[in-house]
Every structure is written in C-alpha cells, then in structure tokens.
Amino acid sequence: MTVPPRVLLAALDENPGLAEVARALRDEGIEVIYAGVLGSAEEVVSAAEQEDPAVVAVSPEAPDVTLEGVEVVGFRTVQEGVDRVKMATVARSRASR
C-alpha cells in the first residue's frame, strides 16, 4: 500500500479558492493538511515543522523560506495550485526511489 504524500496548504491572505485546491488535491489521493490563512512566513514555517509535510503550498506566492526536505511552492489560481502541488509530489516520489 502506497502512503499518499502529505501537503500543507496555506494562504498568506484571504483566498476563497483555497478550499477548492484542497478538495481537488484530496480527489487526486493527496493527504491535505489545511492550515487556512496564516499571517506570515514564520507561521507557515511553524505549521510545517509541526505537521511534517512533503510539500508546502502557499497562496498567493511561496514565502522566501527554506525547509529541509520540504518543497515550498506558491500559487495564485486553483488550477496553478493543483498543478504545482502535483508536480512537486511526483518529483519528490521519483527522488525518493
């Protein structure tokens, strides 16, 4: 049985499409940790440290942070969010083989 990739999904400001991204990723079999609106890059880092995701997806753009072993992607639209997370999870699964 394959373990689904874990993705922390957050926004730095209000984003009504965030829930749509979460739903679409779950439909793709990705485990989504829905953090909602976080006010700063530091809060994103703190949430990532607590949840241990493979990918952190942040709207409207990825904060300038480095998390060891975690890919951080930014997105502005629902489709861009889904596509970038899927690409990041596929790349990580290939790198871990």
Side-chain angles (χ1 to χ4, degrees):
M1 184 172 162
T2 305
V3 177
R6 289 172 54 91
V7 174
L8 176 71
L9 185 62
L12 294 177
D13 55 28
E14 289 298 321
N15 181 339
L18 201 62
E20 290 179 62
V21 174
R23 214 173 3 259
L25 293 173
R26 286 185 181 127
D27 288 348
E28 292 286 333
I30 296 170
E31 180 183 349
V32 176
I33 304 154
Y34 187 87
V37 178
L38 301 176
S40 68
E42 291 78 19
E43 289 181 86
V44 172
V45 169
S46 178
E49 290 171 345
Q50 291 174 21
E51 297 294 345
D52 193 32
V55 177
V56 173
V58 183
S59 173
E61 57 189 47
D64 187 21
V65 297
T66 302
L67 297 163
E68 188 175 331
V70 178
E71 177 140 7
V72 180
V73 298
F75 64 94
R76 293 189 179 277
T77 67
V78 171
Q79 191 61 55
E80 184 180 40
V82 172
D83 291 345
R84 287 191 173 181
V85 168
K86 286 172 57 178
M87 286 189 312
T89 58
V90 168
R92 288 189 57 82
S93 68
R94 286 184 181 153
S96 66
R97 290 182 189 172

